[in-house]
Amino acid sequence: MSYTYDSIASLHKAIPPFSPYIPVALLPYIAFILLTATFALAFYFSTLPKTAVPLREVAVASTASVLGGFGVVALFCSMGVYV
Amino acid sequence: MLGPWRSSVSFFFLAIAPFVSAGHSFENTAIVRTVELGGTVVHVTTTYAVKALEDGSNIYTIALGQKEHEATSALTAKIKGQMAPLEVEKLGAQDGDFQLYDIRLPGYLKAGGTTNLVVETVQTHVTYPYPEEASQKDGQSLKYEADLLVLSPYDTAVQRTKIRSPFPQIHSYTEPNVEFTEDAPVTKSGATLTYGPYKNVFPSANKHFVAEKQQRIYVHYSYDHPVLEIVKLERAAEISHWGANLNIQDNIHLRNAGPRLKGHFSRLEHQSQAFFQRSAPHMLPGLTLHLPAGIRDVYFYDLIGNVSTSQLRTAPSVPKGSQNTQFSVLELKPRYPLMGGWNYSFTLGWDSPLADSAGWDQDLGKWIVGVPVMTVIPGTVIDEEELKIILPEGATEVEFFAPFPALNDELSTAVTYLDTTGRPAVTLRYKNLTDTHAGIVYVAYKVPFSAHLKKPLAVATALTGLFVLAFVWKRVDTRIQK
């Protein structure tokens, strides 16, 4: 599409402002909750017995990883490193 | 992908089209050039009182001397009394003696019709400190050089040049021999010099005139503010969608372009000057910067470390795109006072909410962000600037719109925290920017939802790696003796 500078400037003024999927004010609390859960699950993972089909271990590890992933990103943002 | 540029003030070359001699369809009844002297930046306003000699004339040509053209960093043309800028076209090279510009008037003039055209130019690096060295106690004086006569491809009935100095003392000025006047070629009244009126100047935009009749004039005036120059400005704007944040970081290489310090720097002299409040005019103790409203977490450091001699008063956030009357004021003091010829490089950065600068366009499906080109330090020229706008990871269909053409632009990849594939970055390079260039660059980009998840999934993958390591470790027998 071809926009001129002036039309983009007025478009920029008119459109609704940016809003994130997760409100920024909640990020520190989300980071804390998710990282606590990750830590708890990691500890639980370390207590699991060895089995032939490691179903429980895989389930716990993947949940902990995903929660940890979101938790670390939220942690970075609350610490001021806006990733 | 290059974005379209402002069409109302655009410079493009007509290298192929021959220069049609539109020269004789106008006549100048009067030309008045007013020069406002400054430090590194000089503002020149030229008013042409134009009379059309033919029906249907609407392209008026102005000429700038070669040295003047090289020093000009911004040129706008308007009809006197109106706000809308006119379209200006730079014509191809004219043997290196002068440069022609075509201005499209808003309407067609009939034969005998008149109009007043105001051309405002900003010149940089046209002054130099003279004497070139000054001790801590001395004053500061600058010399300004210019061409005596305003060139024009048309006949000029009368022209004059007024040079205004901001401070009352003018030490000396050229008194030329000019054949276009019977009276004194130059008069002085307070802090204003008037060269003219020069009558009946024939069409001067040609090599012969420039060689025979054109002269250089010099004005030597005192200037009691520090003369500043930013040798290089590297500005990085980083956009974060997870943190809803826009971080702007300026790496500034500041230089005091005043007279070089003669002798050594005496701290005793400096302190006594500060105590008795009679500081040398060429010494820069500190700067006051006007930063955007709504900023937080401002940092100011240099090569040695954090610089704590600063004071910040923030202004609350203003909605996106609104006319900004409020600024956050930062008074910063470099680690040492800047004497003439000294440099100081520092980094200044801040965070601001992304909602103040970016918005979401539902129709295009894109986010549009506006990043200011520079932080204005009044009366200062930026010799070189590199503006880098770093978009979120996975941004696609990037389009940018700059308020004035850049020297060059490129799209590259920047890698920072928690990145896997890297972030697209738009880099624009500029030269000789002044306060008149304080515009906003708009960038439109798309980020699919899956791209937002890249970061958490990258961290999750790293954690999974650790869990796999633990899994394997549990099953490996590491005992030395069974």
Side-chain angles (χ1 to χ4, degrees):
Chain A
M1 65 235 65
S2 61
Y3 280 88
T4 60
Y5 181 80
D6 291 325
S7 66
I8 268 285
S10 40
L11 180 65
H12 177 256
K13 191 167 170 170
I15 54 181
F18 175 86
S19 66
Y21 297 125
I22 304 174
V24 178
L26 291 184
L27 283 178
Y29 305 102
I30 291 174
F32 181 73
I33 293 167
L34 290 180
L35 290 178
T36 319
T38 308
F39 183 75
L41 283 174
F43 177 70
Y44 179 52
F45 175 87
S46 69
T47 63
L48 289 173
K50 287 187 281 195
T51 59
V53 176
L55 211 60
R56 185 170 275 232
E57 282 178 274
V58 166
V60 170
S62 42
T63 324
S65 303
V66 171
L67 291 181
F70 284 93
V72 165
V73 171
L75 179 72
F76 269 59
C77 289
S78 14
M79 291 300 112
V81 180
Y82 296 98
V83 287
Chain B
M1 181 178 143
L2 286 179
W5 292 321
R6 213 172 184 170
S7 63
S8 51
V9 180
S10 56
F11 293 91
F12 45 95
F13 291 92
L14 282 181
I16 299 168
F19 169 56
V20 175
S21 152
H24 300 292
S25 61
F26 286 99
E27 184 185 75
N28 297 319
T29 33
I31 300 182
V32 178
R33 175 172 60 160
T34 310
V35 177
E36 303 279 354
L37 293 175
T40 37
V41 177
V42 169
H43 292 261
V44 179
T45 308
T46 315
T47 307
Y48 299 84
V50 165
K51 183 163 92 172
L53 298 175
E54 289 169 6
D55 274 344
S57 321
N58 85 322
I59 305 268
Y60 180 83
T61 309
I62 61 166
L64 289 181
Q66 187 59 25
K67 286 209 171 103
E68 208 180 330
H69 162 69
E70 277 159 14
T72 300
S73 76
L75 191 153
T76 51
K78 294 189 186 133
I79 296 289
K80 189 169 179 171
Q82 292 180 15
M83 294 299 293
L86 303 174
E87 202 182 303
V88 181
E89 228 176 274
K90 187 165 131 188
L91 300 183
Q94 312 289 324
D95 304 326
D97 283 325
F98 52 88
Q99 181 67 47
L100 292 170
Y101 291 86
D102 268 350
I103 299 174
R104 185 177 295 274
L105 301 175
Y108 289 87
L109 288 177
K110 288 195 156 38
T114 58
T115 184
N116 284 322
L117 195 59
V118 177
V119 175
E120 286 166 1
T121 60
V122 179
Q123 295 179 346
T124 57
H125 302 293
V126 281
T127 61
Y128 54 92
Y130 190 82
E132 283 127 359
E133 282 190 350
S135 78
Q136 237 170 310
K137 295 200 196 53
D138 295 341
Q140 173 177 245
S141 300
L142 303 175
K143 233 186 191 178
Y144 171 70
E145 281 188 30
D147 285 331
L148 171 63
L149 296 165
V150 179
L151 298 178
S152 177
Y154 314 113
D155 276 310
T156 307
V158 66
Q159 67 158 267
R160 53 166 70 82
T161 300
K162 283 198 173 101
I163 302 184
R164 271 207 270 261
S165 163
F167 292 94
Q169 210 185 3
I170 295 184
H171 303 301
S172 66
Y173 47 94
T174 323
E175 296 188 41
N177 272 332
V178 191
E179 66 181 60
F180 298 107
T181 180
E182 301 288 322
D183 311 317
V186 54
T187 49
K188 177 171 179 289
S189 143
T192 307
L193 290 172
T194 308
Y195 281 87
Y198 302 134
K199 302 198 167 74
N200 299 324
V201 183
F202 41 90
S204 48
N206 55 68
K207 232 179 145 108
H208 171 79
F209 187 96
V210 171
E212 308 275 314
K213 312 281 182 200
Q214 185 65 287
Q215 299 175 47
R216 294 291 278 176
I217 51 169
Y218 298 84
V219 180
H220 188 206
Y221 60 105
S222 77
Y223 192 71
D224 290 341
H225 283 326
V227 175
L228 294 179
E229 184 184 346
I230 294 180
V231 179
K232 185 146 172 97
L233 169 64
E234 288 149 356
R235 178 168 257 229
E238 197 175 308
I239 298 166
S240 161
H241 277 199
W242 277 108
N245 186 67
L246 174 67
N247 170 276
I248 294 189
Q249 180 165 301
D250 284 337
N251 285 351
I252 299 175
H253 301 263
L254 185 64
R255 186 171 169 265
N256 184 333
R260 275 195 317 272
L261 182 66
K262 190 158 56 175
H264 63 270
F265 173 68
S266 159
R267 177 61 66 167
L268 183 63
E269 175 65 34
H270 174 70
Q271 293 293 104
S272 73
Q273 277 180 2
F275 181 76
F276 292 112
Q277 289 174 356
R278 29 173 194 82
S279 297
H282 51 87
M283 191 257 312
L284 180 77
L287 277 176
T288 303
L289 296 179
H290 291 272
L291 304 179
I295 63 175
R296 53 176 188 236
D297 298 339
V298 180
Y299 49 94
F300 167 39
Y301 62 83
D302 60 17
L303 209 57
I304 295 171
N306 181 52
V307 185
S308 57
T309 48
S310 62
Q311 217 178 341
L312 173 70
R313 289 191 300 277
T314 51
S317 240
V318 288
K320 166 182 63 67
S322 64
Q323 269 303 61
N324 203 356
T325 49
Q326 293 218 55
F327 293 97
S328 302
V329 179
L330 175 67
E331 291 162 9
L332 52 86
K333 275 176 102 154
R335 238 176 244 284
Y336 45 86
L338 241 69
M339 307 299 298
W342 286 14
N343 298 297
Y344 183 63
S345 303
F346 61 98
T347 303
L348 176 64
W350 59 85
D351 289 328
S352 68
L354 192 56
D356 290 352
S357 317
W360 164 253
D361 186 15
Q362 188 64 42
D363 305 321
L364 285 177
K366 286 184 168 189
W367 277 280
I368 303 178
V369 67
V371 177
V373 171
M374 53 194 261
T375 303
V376 178
I377 305 180
T380 309
V381 62
I382 298 178
D383 290 345
E384 261 182 68
E385 175 175 350
E386 189 187 280
L387 172 62
K388 195 169 186 180
I389 304 173
I390 303 170
L391 304 168
E393 203 174 10
T396 52
E397 292 183 37
V398 177
E399 271 183 286
F400 61 90
F401 304 87
F404 46 88
L407 282 181
N408 59 24
D409 50 71
E410 64 177 291
L411 203 53
S412 57
T413 307
V415 180
T416 178
Y417 302 108
L418 301 185
D419 281 345
T420 41
T421 49
R423 303 166 190 234
V426 176
T427 307
L428 299 166
R429 288 193 180 82
Y430 297 103
K431 202 169 77 135
N432 286 340
L433 298 182
T434 59
D435 335 15
T436 52
H437 294 101
I440 298 182
V441 176
Y442 294 103
V443 183
Y445 59 96
K446 255 191 191 147
V447 183
F449 184 72
S450 55
H452 283 118
L453 297 180
K454 252 193 212 177
K455 282 199 206 330
L457 291 180
V459 180
T461 312
L463 288 175
T464 310
L466 289 175
F467 280 117
V468 165
L469 210 65
F471 178 86
V472 167
W473 184 263
K474 233 197 267 188
R475 285 157 175 72
V476 166
D477 191 356
T478 51
R479 283 176 298 179
I480 299 172
Q481 281 173 335
K482 294 264 194 302

